[in-house]
Amino acid sequence: MTGSASIDVKKGSQKGSQESQEAAPTWRALWVLALGLAMIVLDSSIVNVSIPSIIAAIHINLAQAQWVTALYSIVLAALLLPSGRLGDMIGRKRILQVGTVIFVLGSVFAASASSGTLLLLARLVQGIGGALVMPSTLSTVSATFRGRHRATAFGIWGAVMSSAAAVGPFLGGVFASTIGWRWIFLVNLPLGLIVLVASAVFVPETKSAPGQTDNRWGMLADWKGILLSALGSALVVFALIEGQTYGWWRPRAALELGPLHWSASAPLSPVPVSLILGLALLAAFALIELARARRGKMVILDVSMFAIGTFGWGNLTAAIVNAGQFAVMFILPLYLINARGLSPLGAGSILGVMALGSIVSGGLARVVSARLGAGGTVQTGLLMEIVGVALSILLMRGSVPVWPMTLTLIIYGAGLGFASAQLTSLVLSGVPVAQSGQASATQSTIRQWGTALGAAVSGSALSLALSLVLPRHLTAFKGISAKMADGLVRSVQSSAGNAIVGMRAQGTRGRLGVLGPQVTNALTEGFTQGAQWAMGFAVLLLFLGLVASVLVRRAARKAGADKV
């Protein structure tokens, strides 16, 4: 670490804080932090496309395959709050480096896994490392880039984050189709080494002042807060992600996780139990944190931060927007692969063009923010997202070529870059530097909740739409009984359209005989229409996010935080 780049809030008091706001930061540090974040975000999106290859290679069942993606998100959400607070106390750069090492080790472990159990253990390790890295990158950006540099820094940070999420499916398709699925994890090895070495040289160390943390390990005094926040977040995210799998009320499948077994014949699904218990634990967590704060004791989360207008309304907006954005990314690959017959690589290539829009918007963030303010930039980005998704819905029909959708997704990607970065900037704009770690962890946690909510509502919206649309497309076939039609609808519904791919491959050799291709086309048309309805629900979520952003901008103007 270079001397000129070192920023230690612990030694700085008021003077140090002022210098951190006025001094020109090291831009190389920003790129290191952005790469660290990109590594974590990439791992969230790169795995999904490769799940079929993983199932075939190590012979895991469907339940284990679902947990390969879900476990990472659950662990990440559970540990973000305590890890963010830990970074405030003992140094954000230090936590970034420790998290990177753990994440890389978990990635190597995942790449060498020969069974579902070993792969899940590796994903657990990755989740722990990711939870340490994610808030450390954002809180360091928030603490070191102030004043006129802030909009540019968050623009670059947001563009990299959005691009990583968009590139993930493409890289997953490339690796799974060429050098093998294990490289979706091994790619983290060179990325992690670069982050580890470059952070030691370019990234400044930042932490809270001694009086604000009691002592280095004082956060252990709030062990109840740590447990309640971790367990509550994990249970809520599990319920939102797995509701479609295990049933929102009645069990749809048995839950088996280690010694835990929840029978499919039980009177109640584990999902509502998990959701209610998780919300109760989070409510208890908030009450305990408020009580500790009143007594002047150290807390994992200063709940009073939500009284800051930009922080409170901004987090609500971020959750809604993240739900809408995830819904888009959930529906589109299913449509491209199952309805349009693209390979995972082809679908990933189409979705990957979103990164182009994000890169362009990241470069323009400073100019746009200077003219419209951070709030105006967020609203412009959300409008572009809505327009991009709406145009994509119009293009979702078999008579239209796939390639024009790349243009609409570029628009969507550009909006994603504008909205994500500047919304994050607004959320953190009124938070004191000393609390940037817990504030960053809080907004990352709430974004994770939003993503989980998006997974829940998009899956439910698609399932509901298919149940309403598909039967109408099968009534024209007199050779199909009502029982068979119901079975086809359930098959397409439960597989999220994947059953259509198998029917298309069978042609006239399936159980439907000569009717096979015609029924397949009818189901494809019905699935396309259902996907359009589900995408329409994503537009509604983004519109609600746009409405909520008005409140964020109003709060920012009152605080004078909407100017660059």
Side-chain angles (χ1 to χ4, degrees):
M1 180 179 68
T2 61
S4 60
S6 180
I7 299 175
D8 195 344
V9 179
K10 185 175 78 171
K11 298 178 182 179
S13 66
Q14 185 176 357
K15 179 180 177 181
S17 176
Q18 186 175 6
E19 288 175 355
S20 69
Q21 292 180 13
E22 296 177 356
T26 304
W27 290 103
R28 286 173 294 186
L30 174 64
W31 290 108
V32 177
L33 296 168
L35 181 61
L37 179 71
M39 179 175 65
I40 305 304
V41 174
L42 184 69
D43 204 73
S44 298
S45 61
I46 197 174
V47 175
N48 292 342
V49 177
S50 305
I51 287 296
S53 300
I54 296 174
I55 292 175
I58 59 176
H59 309 293
I60 60 177
N61 58 39
L62 182 59
Q64 289 176 315
Q66 290 168 336
W67 276 101
V68 169
T69 55
L71 185 61
Y72 179 77
S73 298
I74 291 170
V75 173
L76 197 65
L79 299 181
L80 282 171
L81 282 178
S83 65
R85 191 70 177 105
L86 190 63
D88 283 343
M89 295 171 57
I90 69 174
R92 298 166 187 127
K93 171 182 173 178
R94 186 177 302 175
I95 293 300
L96 167 66
Q97 293 176 320
V98 171
T100 301
V101 171
I102 294 175
F103 184 79
V104 169
L105 290 176
S107 299
V108 174
F109 185 17
S112 60
S114 57
S115 68
T117 301
L118 292 177
L119 182 56
L120 290 177
L121 286 174
R123 292 294 279 169
L124 174 67
V125 176
Q126 280 190 298
I128 295 171
L132 292 172
V133 171
M134 184 176 283
S136 299
T137 60
L138 180 55
S139 58
T140 302
V141 172
S142 181
T144 56
F145 289 83
R146 316 297 293 179
R148 60 189 179 88
H149 302 291
R150 191 177 180 87
T152 305
F154 274 106
I156 295 172
W157 183 87
V160 171
M161 178 179 67
S162 303
S163 300
V167 168
F170 171 71
L171 288 181
V174 170
F175 291 152
S177 302
T178 54
I179 57 179
W181 65 269
R182 297 184 187 275
W183 277 93
I184 66 175
F185 300 113
L186 288 176
V187 70
N188 295 322
L189 180 58
L191 294 178
L193 291 176
I194 293 172
V195 171
L196 198 61
V197 174
S199 64
V201 179
F202 300 122
V203 176
E205 181 65 283
T206 62
K207 64 183 77 171
S208 300
Q212 295 162 321
T213 56
D214 295 334
N215 58 70
R216 175 168 290 192
W217 303 105
M219 70 176 289
L220 294 179
D222 191 17
W223 62 270
K224 293 180 181 178
I226 295 174
L227 288 178
L228 288 173
S229 66
L231 289 175
S233 296
L235 288 170
V236 168
V237 171
F238 163 77
L240 293 175
I241 290 178
E242 300 297 336
Q244 191 65 26
T245 301
Y246 297 108
W248 289 106
W249 189 253
R250 296 290 184 184
R252 296 184 58 181
L255 169 61
E256 294 184 11
L257 184 63
L260 177 63
H261 176 78
W262 195 295
S263 173
S265 60
L268 187 66
S269 165
V271 170
V273 176
S274 177
L275 182 59
I276 293 171
L277 182 58
L279 291 174
L281 291 177
L282 290 175
F285 165 68
L287 292 175
I288 286 177
E289 298 302 278
L290 282 171
R292 287 183 61 86
R294 289 194 200 101
R295 297 196 302 268
K297 295 183 176 293
M298 199 218 74
V299 293
I300 297 300
L301 173 63
D302 184 356
V303 182
S304 66
M305 286 192 298
F306 285 94
I308 301 171
T310 50
F311 190 78
W313 289 114
N315 275 303
L316 174 63
T317 303
I320 298 172
V321 169
N322 257 47
Q325 291 170 345
F326 184 88
V328 172
M329 291 304 298
F330 177 80
I331 301 298
L332 275 181
L334 295 176
Y335 165 74
L336 292 172
I337 294 173
N338 296 333
R340 301 307 296 263
L342 297 183
S343 66
L345 177 58
S349 301
I350 295 291
L351 297 174
V353 301
M354 287 187 292
L356 298 177
S358 295
I359 292 171
V360 172
S361 60
L364 296 174
R366 168 72 180 175
V367 177
V368 175
S369 295
R371 178 166 297 185
L372 302 179
T377 305
V378 169
Q379 292 174 330
T380 299
L382 289 175
L383 280 172
M384 293 177 69
E385 288 187 47
I386 292 171
V387 170
V389 177
L391 291 175
S392 297
I393 293 174
L394 294 176
L395 295 175
M396 290 172 66
R397 53 187 65 186
S399 59
V400 178
V402 174
W403 70 264
M405 191 174 286
T406 59
L407 302 178
T408 64
L409 291 180
I410 288 176
I411 297 173
Y412 174 79
L416 194 65
F418 281 134
S420 296
Q422 296 310 312
L423 180 55
T424 300
S425 178
L426 278 178
V427 169
L428 301 179
S429 60
V431 177
V433 174
Q435 295 176 293
S436 59
Q438 56 179 311
S440 300
T442 302
Q443 77 93 37
S444 295
T445 301
I446 291 177
R447 282 179 180 267
Q448 282 294 116
W449 292 350
T451 298
L453 178 63
V457 298
S458 58
S460 298
L462 179 61
S463 180
L464 177 61
L466 292 177
S467 67
L468 296 173
V469 171
L470 287 176
R472 296 205 305 266
H473 284 76
L474 295 176
T475 55
F477 296 95
K478 296 181 180 180
I480 298 179
S481 65
K483 183 178 180 180
M484 181 177 289
D486 183 63
L488 289 170
V489 171
R490 289 181 179 274
S491 178
V492 173
Q493 196 177 4
S494 62
S495 66
N498 191 52
I500 297 175
V501 178
M503 293 178 63
R504 188 180 295 123
Q506 289 177 351
T508 58
R509 299 186 304 274
R511 58 175 179 161
L512 295 173
V514 293
L515 286 178
Q518 299 175 53
V519 173
T520 301
N521 290 336
L523 290 174
T524 300
E525 292 176 7
F527 183 82
T528 298
Q529 188 177 350
Q532 287 176 311
W533 285 22
M535 286 278 283
F537 189 74
V539 171
L540 176 60
L541 288 172
L542 292 174
F543 178 75
L544 292 176
L546 177 62
V547 173
S549 72
V550 174
L551 300 173
V552 184
R553 191 177 189 184
R554 187 177 301 166
R557 282 174 172 170
K558 285 184 179 179
D562 196 33
K563 299 177 181 178
V564 180

